[in-house]
Amino acid sequence: MTPTVGIALLGTKFMGKAHSNAWGQAARFFDLPCKPKLATVVGRNQQELDAFAERWGWEQTAPQWQDVVADDAIAIVDIATPNDVHAEPAVAALAAGKHVVCEKPLAGTLADARRMRDAAVSSSGQSFVWFNYRRCPAIALAHRMVRDGRLGRIYHVRASYLQSWGGPDTPLLWRFQKAHAGSGAHGDLNAHIVDLARFLTGDEIVEVHGAIEKTFVTERTIPGTDAVGTSDVDDCVSFLASLAGGATASFEATRLAVGHLNRNCIEINGADGSLAFDFEDMNTLRFCDASDPASERGWRRIVCTAAEHPYMAAWWPDAHLIGYEHGFTNMAADVLRVLSGAQAEVPLPTFVDAYETQRVLEAALIAARERRAVELTEVP
Amino acid sequence: MTPTVGIALLGTKFMGKAHSNAWGQAARFFDLPCKPKLATVVGRNQQELDAFAERWGWEQTAPQWQDVVADDAIAIVDIATPNDVHAEPAVAALAAGKHVVCEKPLAGTLADARRMRDAAVSSSGQSFVWFNYRRCPAIALAHRMVRDGRLGRIYHVRASYLQSWGGPDTPLLWRFQKAHAGSGAHGDLNAHIVDLARFLTGDEIVEVHGAIEKTFVTERTIPGTDAVGTSDVDDCVSFLASLAGGATASFEATRLAVGHLNRNCIEINGADGSLAFDFEDMNTLRFCDASDPASERGWRRIVCTAAEHPYMAAWWPDAHLIGYEHGFTNMAADVLRVLSGAQAEVPLPTFVDAYETQRVLEAALIAARERRAVELTEVP
Amino acid sequence: MTPTVGIALLGTKFMGKAHSNAWGQAARFFDLPCKPKLATVVGRNQQELDAFAERWGWEQTAPQWQDVVADDAIAIVDIATPNDVHAEPAVAALAAGKHVVCEKPLAGTLADARRMRDAAVSSSGQSFVWFNYRRCPAIALAHRMVRDGRLGRIYHVRASYLQSWGGPDTPLLWRFQKAHAGSGAHGDLNAHIVDLARFLTGDEIVEVHGAIEKTFVTERTIPGTDAVGTSDVDDCVSFLASLAGGATASFEATRLAVGHLNRNCIEINGADGSLAFDFEDMNTLRFCDASDPASERGWRRIVCTAAEHPYMAAWWPDAHLIGYEHGFTNMAADVLRVLSGAQAEVPLPTFVDAYETQRVLEAALIAARERRAVELTEVP
Amino acid sequence: MTPTVGIALLGTKFMGKAHSNAWGQAARFFDLPCKPKLATVVGRNQQELDAFAERWGWEQTAPQWQDVVADDAIAIVDIATPNDVHAEPAVAALAAGKHVVCEKPLAGTLADARRMRDAAVSSSGQSFVWFNYRRCPAIALAHRMVRDGRLGRIYHVRASYLQSWGGPDTPLLWRFQKAHAGSGAHGDLNAHIVDLARFLTGDEIVEVHGAIEKTFVTERTIPGTDAVGTSDVDDCVSFLASLAGGATASFEATRLAVGHLNRNCIEINGADGSLAFDFEDMNTLRFCDASDPASERGWRRIVCTAAEHPYMAAWWPDAHLIGYEHGFTNMAADVLRVLSGAQAEVPLPTFVDAYETQRVLEAALIAARERRAVELTEVP
């Protein structure tokens, strides 16, 4: 009989919903070696919590995360709270031998992130980070193609994450407050594309050559009031970097790019080919094979909806598109596989891995503030 | 307290899975006036049926559809069986006062379809057909824009549904057998785009001017054997038509268009603007507004992921793509709303409506065989 | 020393300008076996004619085409007049042993076209038709790829030529008058795509299965007046056809498709691959190779700007786009090559060839009027 | 009567051909206040020079540039030689009161560029630089729209110029030799996009925040030999910058991006809208208007082929694409207009203007080498 794995969820907002859906759909669409049990959801507002639990199938609720850390029925603690509320429960859960699956960025501060990494290293539990885009089939295919040597020597990585919801009319959500979010577009968006760059190339960033951090909108309305508060996070951060293997890399995150909704883009140029991904066309990977004859060479638009593509056999017959939330479901399936001793479709990011991403983000901030190049060895 | 509606599902293959997911996700993502109860799933192979029921949350199973038609706990009979097994259970269920939600095309033959329409007209139950594409947000937006008069007088409708899975290597599935499927690409694909053309324009087809029906691949391997059987359905059907309001229309369905996976396309040109949809980029509607100044006029690529777009408020925050299955979920939500006396986001197709689509398909077949134009009044 | 070929041009409007440019640029960009001499331009308004001649480098002018037909210094008569003024000068010039290069469609009526074909067959001069799109590098590449067997058995041809300039505000130009133009979108646009379909497949249309011919705008302002006159040509013509080899084909021409400016599109689906061309992205050919592995298969966007692509070595170093007029220049170069006994890059359309296209257009008109399928053998 | 302006051309390679074509086509397609006279072409190889002169219509040849500087019949000296041969003839021609139109970048070194600027400032002649992309109709339209305030406050400029011809198989052309070219992709490509950024925003770059300069391919075959020589220019340069008005900007030039042929891209995000241009789709400008209602907002693909678009009335009737060389022709027309006291369609870059671009390029090189941010005030 299929064993059952008890899960506790912290957080019931956007990410709480995404994770709840992921655990449920993973069990319905994938053939898994274990069955996720949506055991406990944790939150402060009992009424909202009850409604959430009923809607998503959580068996019980708890008022604080300490309850689930102490609960033997819980094997996985899933953290979907704001960035400043990652470290404490994660460290405690890992210390208690739980597996932890934490939202990205790993933490709002590098110090928090380091504590989390250290806790993961010394725990008997495993750690994972919800870098969901790794598990878009198109990205997973790109990962496989780079591993298979289709690009040859890598010259350039070009990554940007462009959004447009951060104009002056948007109120002062927690994401605009440094105390809660740690940073703005940087931690929210650059975290994703730095993870993707490292994941896809299998290479590490060794130097940040320069960076810009900018806050254009400094005042926002406090939600539910007429008062105005300070928006003290970046609206955009751009930086240039080098990889250990010699490739150049550029990263840009912004919430002020009218016309772009959720344009998470990454492109890799190698001597033998190039790959390009754009999340606004998420089912597609573009590939140019330099070995095609000159008269027939061009970008191929590979629609990644065949059973041959990563994850797709679990979903629908060939040729049916999937959406945003499926990356989370694919990840939930992989986490459950790995915890059962099976293989993930593509590697899962651990806290150790996510900490490296956090160091890169930190180096970019130093470069922006000190107006100079920063070697990664300068960041602890 | 929210009332509950008992549902029975016939069929556990591709569409059985799609419908099961739709009922479940509708309850999780939408705020509905009633709660769908996945009561009974019907099928012949008990072992498969049990596994299916457990995976998708069906409370019990039944070996034949007569069981659920006789069951007072069932309010909705959902038919996801092959085309030749639509009429009998649908007619019986409607006669018993059930609501019926049937897969498209309405039936494999016009005679069956007519029986179903007649049963629907005289039943106290309501009838619906799973023309899922109506409920892509981009299509629902197009519907709203046409209603709002954004296109002006309509000149042209251009619809095609191109797939590529029907080559000679594909085995003799039921979809290639006339006895089960009724037709090939025609009923499977043209049914969708005729429905979309009628739905979007709000106009009716009055004449088919000519048609081509062609079977290129006449022999296919019988699955699980080395034997070869006859593929006796069309591989493609194209036809030209006129709408009552004067617009011209073209329709093409094929399974032999290499490079196209699931390219369900419809474009409408009006005096004041044009709209274009392509299911391979399903979250997007393209719109050209003829009233924009000449120097700034062009196709707008509207990514339909904002709360302002139909259905999207139920899913994720702005700017997150949805996929194929969401059309079914959106429709399940609308069915549940309508059965509770609330409003569907956009009109639902009834059996009466789907019968009109079936008449158009029939007219096209007559035109192809008799090599002449056919007025719709010639089709009973 | 390079021999010189004397050219006479009839017509100084849009096409007169395009042809003048073509002869001049051909000599400048291509290495040709002979040198075009822009000898005489023919027209009625002497003042305009003088200005035109000076601007484009025509050495002299003449008031009527009879002058150049009688002129021994003229080897090529280039006809760029309205459709009803093609036959008379063409037949006379061919009778006089001149080479004739005529604008498309071959003529406004089938009877005229037949006279021209007969004259071409019995003349010592050669005949050519300005089907300029054959000489877009992307189309010429497609021709080469089909010849090389990259598509395998051809299943479908899908061609449309969509424009939007024919709304009710456009005045009563000669193109809207049957007496001058013969037809509307049909002869103007369908002529091009029927030529392309025949050229690319190398196959002939044997049956028209049905057609629609429609005039939505029947009255237009007479230019320079307040008066209104009758627009008696079609605004759109669509038809379905079969090729001798079994492929299905569809054609649509319209001037009422808001959003489309000059969208001359053709796509061919074969068992082994597909090709697609869109003149609004004219430097590009899209190709899907069915033999690519499933996980890497997709439409390739081949930008046809390399020296390996047809015609491009004559223009600029790799990677520089060309425009509309270059198709004419490429054709002028090919005409001069062929007249010198050299090879054209891809075959040139003769009057015999263009007459076949005209028969197809005629069959479509019969099908539309008689509301039935028409075999090509029915058209003389 | 239309006055005539005598032109001398230095250089007969790629750019010599492009400029020759531009002067000739400008006279044929535009109605100009003066007539360009292709008087003298200067070059060293007399045989090649004679052939070139005959092909392009240059009336005479000269062996060295001093001849044309001393020639009273010459009003315009057009410099199309390698970057290290710009300064000397430009300075001499300006000193002689000639107008000078020089290829970009202004010079291979900042010192040369400064001499040229100084000469221009003190000359009675006017100076222009062939930044041809300013005169793509789509770019000129973007310029007009920014001036009209359609973008509001500008947040971001994102520019890249990606090519792929610089792999290890490409031989050691002059463009790979610092002594001749000054730099690699930087001067060749970043010069264009820095010019475009300044031109479109009307704003100046005040700081370079960091830069990467990299040479991946250090050895190349010497053309016509088996020997290998040193490729001592950059293959790519990326840098980040700020504009005076606060906007962030990024620039990247590379010759090692497989799949990109001539992808000169620039995008501008403002509070009220965004504009995007890609030279591989050069007839198109993409625009997103933030004031469109949320449900209909999206990127508009404006095909810039209407008479309402800059320069297009001179070419063909609406809806006909132009190509690479037309930017040069549009510029030739504007130079002739300005020299006649008329207005250019959009502003022409002078040596003073191009010198500012050169300073930005220099600041980027300093930033790359010194691994730090550089304020523009640091560059003389």
Side-chain angles (χ1 to χ4, degrees):
Chain A
M1 232 199 68
T2 316
T4 288
V5 180
I7 303 173
L9 172 69
L10 319 187
T12 60
K13 304 300 181 194
F14 177 13
M15 282 302 120
K17 180 178 170 182
H19 297 192
S20 296
N21 181 69
W23 297 116
Q25 293 290 75
R28 289 184 280 269
F29 280 91
F30 286 81
D31 293 315
L32 296 172
C34 65
K35 195 178 149 58
K37 180 184 157 86
L38 282 64
T40 310
V41 58
V42 179
R44 267 176 281 189
N45 180 321
Q46 190 61 39
Q47 197 175 342
E48 277 179 31
L49 198 60
D50 288 342
F52 187 93
E54 200 203 327
R55 180 178 287 258
W56 294 102
W58 292 97
E59 298 182 359
Q60 55 183 37
T61 68
Q64 45 189 10
W65 59 259
Q66 287 83 352
D67 301 328
V68 298
V69 167
D71 184 348
D72 285 348
I74 299 300
I76 295 174
V77 176
D78 177 3
I79 301 178
T81 45
N83 303 344
D84 59 329
V85 197
H86 288 184
E88 215 184 342
V91 168
L94 285 165
K98 308 291 190 201
H99 308 299
V100 178
V101 201
C102 185
E103 249 313 310
K104 48 57 54 182
L106 189 52
T109 66
L110 189 66
D112 269 5
R114 198 176 309 121
R115 282 206 301 142
M116 294 172 74
R117 179 205 53 182
D118 293 346
V121 167
S122 57
S123 171
S124 64
Q126 297 196 43
S127 66
F128 307 98
V129 182
W130 287 99
F131 282 115
N132 54 305
Y133 295 113
R134 285 196 185 191
R135 265 146 257 279
C136 277
I139 288 287
L141 173 64
H143 182 269
R144 197 167 84 190
M145 290 173 74
V146 175
R147 287 307 157 284
D148 288 349
R150 303 300 304 271
L151 299 200
R153 180 185 179 184
I154 293 178
Y155 291 134
H156 305 304
V157 176
R158 201 171 295 112
S160 57
Y161 202 142
L162 311 181
Q163 298 183 336
S164 51
W165 59 279
D169 294 342
T170 307
L172 192 62
L173 313 170
W174 71 264
R175 289 181 182 275
F176 293 109
Q177 302 174 52
K178 190 167 220 158
H180 295 303
S183 71
H186 193 48
D188 190 20
L189 307 180
N190 273 334
H192 274 303
I193 54 180
V194 169
D195 178 67
L196 287 182
R198 295 177 55 246
F199 172 66
L200 289 175
T201 62
D203 200 359
E204 293 294 347
I205 290 163
V206 292
E207 179 171 355
V208 169
H209 294 259
I212 305 179
E213 182 191 17
K214 213 131 192 174
T215 307
F216 288 98
V217 182
T218 51
E219 296 195 324
R220 295 176 186 276
T221 308
I222 298 172
T225 76
D226 288 341
V228 160
T230 302
S231 185
D232 58 358
V233 299
D234 61 88
D235 292 319
C236 66
V237 171
S238 301
F239 63 101
L240 300 174
S242 294
L243 301 184
T248 71
S250 63
F251 300 91
E252 176 179 8
T254 177
R255 292 166 174 169
L256 291 174
V258 165
H260 300 291
L261 300 175
N262 207 359
R263 201 168 287 271
N264 175 352
C265 291
I266 188 161
E267 177 175 329
I268 307 181
N269 304 132
D272 300 340
S274 288
L275 287 168
F277 173 79
D278 172 356
F279 185 69
E280 290 198 13
D281 190 17
M282 66 165 279
N283 290 271
T284 296
L285 181 68
R286 290 192 310 124
F287 171 49
C288 182
D289 188 337
S291 69
D292 281 335
S295 67
E296 296 185 8
R297 196 181 301 144
W299 286 98
R300 289 184 210 178
R301 194 175 179 276
I302 305 171
V303 182
C304 299
T305 53
E308 287 83 355
H309 293 120
Y311 300 104
M312 292 308 293
W315 292 100
W316 304 104
D318 283 10
H320 293 88
L321 303 185
I322 60 171
Y324 165 71
E325 75 241 33
H326 296 68
F328 290 90
T329 307
N330 292 341
M331 173 151 162
D334 271 343
V335 165
L336 295 170
R337 284 164 172 161
V338 163
L339 293 182
S340 305
Q343 198 83 32
E345 183 92 32
V346 289
L348 284 160
T350 64
F351 282 14
V352 174
D353 195 349
Y355 183 67
E356 290 307 308
T357 290
Q358 202 103 4
R359 287 177 66 231
V360 174
L361 299 182
E362 188 73 15
L365 293 180
I366 299 170
R369 285 164 198 164
E370 303 190 0
R371 304 183 59 246
R372 64 171 180 94
V374 174
E375 293 192 39
L376 258 288
T377 51
E378 299 181 49
V379 182
Chain B
M1 229 199 66
T2 316
T4 288
V5 179
I7 303 172
L9 171 69
L10 319 188
T12 60
K13 304 301 182 194
F14 177 14
M15 282 302 119
K17 179 178 169 181
H19 297 192
S20 297
N21 180 69
W23 297 117
Q25 294 290 76
R28 289 184 280 267
F29 280 90
F30 286 80
D31 292 315
L32 296 171
C34 66
K35 194 178 147 62
K37 178 183 158 86
L38 283 64
T40 310
V41 58
V42 179
R44 267 177 280 190
N45 181 322
Q46 190 61 40
Q47 198 175 340
E48 278 178 31
L49 199 59
D50 287 343
F52 186 94
E54 200 203 327
R55 180 178 289 257
W56 294 102
W58 292 95
E59 298 183 359
Q60 55 184 37
T61 68
Q64 44 189 12
W65 58 260
Q66 287 83 351
D67 300 330
V68 298
V69 168
D71 183 349
D72 284 349
I74 300 300
I76 296 174
V77 176
D78 177 3
I79 301 179
T81 46
N83 303 345
D84 58 330
V85 197
H86 288 183
E88 217 184 339
V91 168
L94 285 164
K98 307 293 188 202
H99 308 299
V100 178
V101 201
C102 185
E103 250 312 312
K104 45 59 56 181
L106 188 52
T109 66
L110 189 66
D112 268 5
R114 199 176 309 121
R115 283 206 300 142
M116 294 170 74
R117 180 204 53 180
D118 293 345
V121 167
S122 58
S123 172
S124 64
Q126 297 197 45
S127 66
F128 308 98
V129 182
W130 287 98
F131 282 115
N132 55 303
Y133 296 113
R134 284 195 186 191
R135 265 145 255 282
C136 278
I139 287 287
L141 173 64
H143 182 269
R144 199 166 84 190
M145 290 173 74
V146 175
R147 287 306 158 283
D148 289 349
R150 304 299 306 269
L151 300 201
R153 178 184 182 185
I154 293 179
Y155 291 135
H156 305 303
V157 176
R158 201 171 294 113
S160 57
Y161 201 143
L162 311 181
Q163 298 183 336
S164 51
W165 60 279
D169 294 343
T170 307
L172 192 60
L173 312 168
W174 73 263
R175 288 182 183 274
F176 293 109
Q177 301 174 51
K178 189 168 221 155
H180 295 303
S183 72
H186 193 49
D188 190 21
L189 309 180
N190 273 334
H192 274 302
I193 55 181
V194 169
D195 177 69
L196 287 183
R198 296 177 55 246
F199 172 67
L200 289 176
T201 62
D203 200 359
E204 292 295 346
I205 289 163
V206 292
E207 179 172 355
V208 170
H209 294 259
I212 304 179
E213 182 191 18
K214 213 134 195 172
T215 307
F216 288 98
V217 182
T218 53
E219 297 195 323
R220 296 177 186 276
T221 308
I222 298 172
T225 75
D226 288 343
V228 160
T230 301
S231 186
D232 59 358
V233 299
D234 63 88
D235 291 319
C236 65
V237 171
S238 300
F239 64 101
L240 300 174
S242 292
L243 300 184
T248 71
S250 62
F251 299 91
E252 177 180 8
T254 177
R255 294 167 173 167
L256 291 174
V258 165
H260 301 291
L261 300 174
N262 208 359
R263 199 168 289 271
N264 176 352
C265 291
I266 188 160
E267 177 175 328
I268 306 181
N269 303 132
D272 300 341
S274 288
L275 287 168
F277 173 78
D278 171 357
F279 185 69
E280 289 198 14
D281 191 17
M282 64 167 279
N283 290 273
T284 296
L285 181 67
R286 291 191 310 124
F287 171 48
C288 182
D289 188 338
S291 69
D292 281 334
S295 68
E296 297 185 7
R297 198 181 300 144
W299 287 97
R300 289 185 211 177
R301 193 176 179 277
I302 306 170
V303 182
C304 300
T305 52
E308 285 85 356
H309 294 119
Y311 300 104
M312 291 309 292
W315 292 100
W316 304 104
D318 283 9
H320 293 88
L321 304 184
I322 61 171
Y324 165 71
E325 76 239 33
H326 297 68
F328 290 90
T329 307
N330 292 342
M331 171 151 164
D334 272 343
V335 166
L336 295 169
R337 284 164 171 161
V338 164
L339 293 182
S340 306
Q343 197 82 35
E345 183 94 30
V346 290
L348 283 160
T350 64
F351 282 14
V352 174
D353 195 349
Y355 182 67
E356 290 308 307
T357 290
Q358 201 104 4
R359 286 177 68 232
V360 175
L361 299 182
E362 188 73 14
L365 293 180
I366 299 171
R369 285 167 199 161
E370 303 190 358
R371 303 183 59 244
R372 64 172 181 94
V374 174
E375 292 190 41
L376 258 288
T377 52
E378 299 181 49
V379 182
Chain C
M1 232 198 69
T2 316
T4 289
V5 179
I7 304 173
L9 172 70
L10 319 187
T12 60
K13 304 300 181 193
F14 177 13
M15 281 303 120
K17 181 178 168 181
H19 297 191
S20 297
N21 181 68
W23 298 116
Q25 293 291 74
R28 288 184 280 268
F29 280 89
F30 286 81
D31 292 315
L32 296 172
C34 65
K35 194 176 150 59
K37 178 184 159 86
L38 281 66
T40 310
V41 58
V42 179
R44 267 177 279 188
N45 180 322
Q46 190 62 40
Q47 199 176 341
E48 278 179 32
L49 198 60
D50 287 343
F52 187 93
E54 198 203 329
R55 181 178 287 257
W56 293 102
W58 292 96
E59 297 182 0
Q60 56 183 37
T61 68
Q64 44 188 10
W65 58 260
Q66 287 83 352
D67 300 328
V68 297
V69 167
D71 183 350
D72 285 349
I74 300 300
I76 297 174
V77 175
D78 177 2
I79 301 178
T81 46
N83 303 343
D84 58 330
V85 197
H86 287 183
E88 215 184 342
V91 168
L94 285 164
K98 309 292 189 200
H99 308 299
V100 177
V101 201
C102 185
E103 250 312 311
K104 46 57 59 182
L106 188 53
T109 67
L110 189 65
D112 269 5
R114 198 177 310 123
R115 282 207 299 142
M116 293 171 75
R117 180 206 52 182
D118 293 345
V121 167
S122 57
S123 171
S124 62
Q126 297 196 44
S127 66
F128 308 98
V129 181
W130 287 99
F131 282 115
N132 55 303
Y133 295 112
R134 285 195 184 191
R135 263 145 259 281
C136 277
I139 288 287
L141 173 65
H143 182 270
R144 198 165 84 189
M145 291 173 74
V146 176
R147 288 307 157 284
D148 289 350
R150 303 300 304 272
L151 299 201
R153 180 183 180 185
I154 292 178
Y155 291 136
H156 305 304
V157 176
R158 202 170 294 112
S160 57
Y161 201 141
L162 311 180
Q163 298 183 337
S164 50
W165 60 280
D169 294 342
T170 307
L172 192 61
L173 311 169
W174 71 264
R175 289 180 182 275
F176 293 108
Q177 303 175 51
K178 191 168 219 155
H180 295 304
S183 71
H186 193 48
D188 190 20
L189 307 181
N190 273 334
H192 274 303
I193 56 181
V194 169
D195 177 68
L196 287 183
R198 296 176 55 246
F199 172 66
L200 289 176
T201 62
D203 201 358
E204 293 295 345
I205 289 163
V206 292
E207 180 172 355
V208 169
H209 295 258
I212 304 179
E213 182 191 18
K214 213 133 195 173
T215 307
F216 288 98
V217 182
T218 52
E219 295 196 324
R220 296 176 186 276
T221 309
I222 299 172
T225 76
D226 287 342
V228 160
T230 302
S231 186
D232 58 359
V233 298
D234 61 88
D235 291 320
C236 64
V237 172
S238 300
F239 63 100
L240 300 174
S242 293
L243 301 184
T248 71
S250 63
F251 300 91
E252 176 180 10
T254 177
R255 292 168 174 166
L256 291 174
V258 165
H260 300 291
L261 299 175
N262 207 359
R263 200 167 288 272
N264 175 352
C265 291
I266 188 161
E267 177 175 329
I268 307 180
N269 303 134
D272 300 341
S274 289
L275 286 169
F277 173 79
D278 171 355
F279 185 69
E280 289 198 14
D281 191 16
M282 64 166 280
N283 290 272
T284 295
L285 180 68
R286 291 192 309 124
F287 171 49
C288 182
D289 188 339
S291 69
D292 281 335
S295 68
E296 296 185 8
R297 197 181 302 145
W299 286 98
R300 289 184 209 176
R301 194 176 179 276
I302 305 171
V303 181
C304 300
T305 52
E308 286 83 356
H309 293 119
Y311 300 104
M312 291 308 292
W315 293 100
W316 304 105
D318 283 10
H320 293 87
L321 304 184
I322 60 171
Y324 165 70
E325 75 238 35
H326 297 68
F328 290 90
T329 306
N330 293 341
M331 172 150 163
D334 271 344
V335 166
L336 294 170
R337 284 164 171 160
V338 163
L339 293 182
S340 305
Q343 198 83 33
E345 184 94 31
V346 288
L348 284 160
T350 64
F351 282 14
V352 174
D353 195 349
Y355 183 67
E356 290 307 307
T357 290
Q358 200 103 4
R359 287 177 66 230
V360 174
L361 299 182
E362 188 72 15
L365 293 180
I366 299 170
R369 285 164 197 164
E370 304 189 0
R371 302 183 59 245
R372 64 173 181 93
V374 174
E375 292 191 40
L376 258 286
T377 51
E378 299 181 49
V379 181
Chain D
M1 229 200 67
T2 316
T4 288
V5 179
I7 304 172
L9 171 71
L10 319 188
T12 60
K13 304 300 183 194
F14 177 14
M15 281 302 121
K17 180 178 169 182
H19 296 192
S20 296
N21 181 69
W23 297 117
Q25 294 290 75
R28 288 184 281 268
F29 280 89
F30 287 79
D31 293 315
L32 296 172
C34 64
K35 194 177 147 58
K37 179 184 158 87
L38 282 66
T40 308
V41 57
V42 178
R44 266 176 282 190
N45 181 322
Q46 190 62 39
Q47 199 176 340
E48 277 179 32
L49 198 60
D50 288 342
F52 187 93
E54 199 203 327
R55 180 178 287 257
W56 294 102
W58 292 96
E59 298 182 359
Q60 55 184 37
T61 68
Q64 46 189 8
W65 59 259
Q66 288 83 352
D67 300 329
V68 298
V69 167
D71 183 349
D72 285 349
I74 300 301
I76 297 174
V77 176
D78 177 2
I79 301 179
T81 46
N83 303 344
D84 58 329
V85 196
H86 287 184
E88 215 184 342
V91 169
L94 286 163
K98 309 293 189 200
H99 308 299
V100 177
V101 201
C102 185
E103 251 311 311
K104 45 57 58 180
L106 189 53
T109 67
L110 189 66
D112 269 4
R114 198 176 309 122
R115 282 206 300 143
M116 293 170 75
R117 180 204 54 182
D118 293 345
V121 168
S122 57
S123 171
S124 63
Q126 297 197 43
S127 66
F128 308 97
V129 181
W130 286 99
F131 282 115
N132 54 303
Y133 295 112
R134 284 195 184 191
R135 263 145 257 280
C136 277
I139 288 286
L141 174 64
H143 181 269
R144 198 167 83 190
M145 291 173 74
V146 176
R147 286 309 156 283
D148 289 349
R150 305 299 304 270
L151 300 201
R153 179 184 180 185
I154 292 178
Y155 290 136
H156 305 304
V157 176
R158 202 170 294 110
S160 57
Y161 202 143
L162 311 181
Q163 298 183 337
S164 50
W165 60 279
D169 294 342
T170 306
L172 191 61
L173 312 168
W174 73 263
R175 288 180 183 275
F176 292 109
Q177 302 174 51
K178 191 169 219 155
H180 295 303
S183 72
H186 193 49
D188 190 21
L189 308 181
N190 273 334
H192 274 303
I193 56 181
V194 169
D195 178 68
L196 287 182
R198 297 176 55 246
F199 172 67
L200 289 175
T201 62
D203 200 0
E204 293 294 346
I205 290 163
V206 292
E207 179 172 356
V208 170
H209 294 259
I212 305 180
E213 181 192 20
K214 213 133 194 172
T215 306
F216 288 98
V217 181
T218 52
E219 295 196 325
R220 296 177 187 275
T221 307
I222 298 172
T225 75
D226 288 342
V228 161
T230 302
S231 186
D232 58 358
V233 299
D234 62 89
D235 291 320
C236 65
V237 171
S238 301
F239 63 101
L240 300 174
S242 293
L243 300 184
T248 71
S250 63
F251 299 91
E252 176 180 9
T254 176
R255 293 168 174 167
L256 291 174
V258 165
H260 300 291
L261 299 174
N262 207 0
R263 201 168 287 272
N264 175 351
C265 292
I266 188 160
E267 177 174 329
I268 307 182
N269 304 133
D272 300 341
S274 288
L275 286 168
F277 172 79
D278 171 356
F279 185 69
E280 290 199 13
D281 191 16
M282 65 167 277
N283 290 272
T284 297
L285 181 67
R286 292 191 310 124
F287 171 50
C288 182
D289 188 340
S291 69
D292 281 335
S295 69
E296 297 185 8
R297 197 181 301 145
W299 287 98
R300 288 185 210 177
R301 193 176 179 276
I302 306 170
V303 182
C304 299
T305 52
E308 286 83 357
H309 293 119
Y311 299 105
M312 292 309 291
W315 292 100
W316 304 104
D318 283 11
H320 292 88
L321 305 184
I322 61 170
Y324 165 71
E325 75 240 33
H326 296 68
F328 290 90
T329 306
N330 292 342
M331 170 149 165
D334 272 344
V335 166
L336 295 169
R337 284 164 171 160
V338 164
L339 293 182
S340 306
Q343 198 82 33
E345 183 92 32
V346 288
L348 284 160
T350 64
F351 282 14
V352 174
D353 195 349
Y355 183 67
E356 290 308 307
T357 290
Q358 200 104 4
R359 286 177 66 231
V360 175
L361 299 182
E362 188 73 14
L365 293 180
I366 299 170
R369 285 166 198 160
E370 303 190 0
R371 304 183 58 245
R372 65 172 180 93
V374 174
E375 293 191 40
L376 258 287
T377 51
E378 299 182 49
V379 181

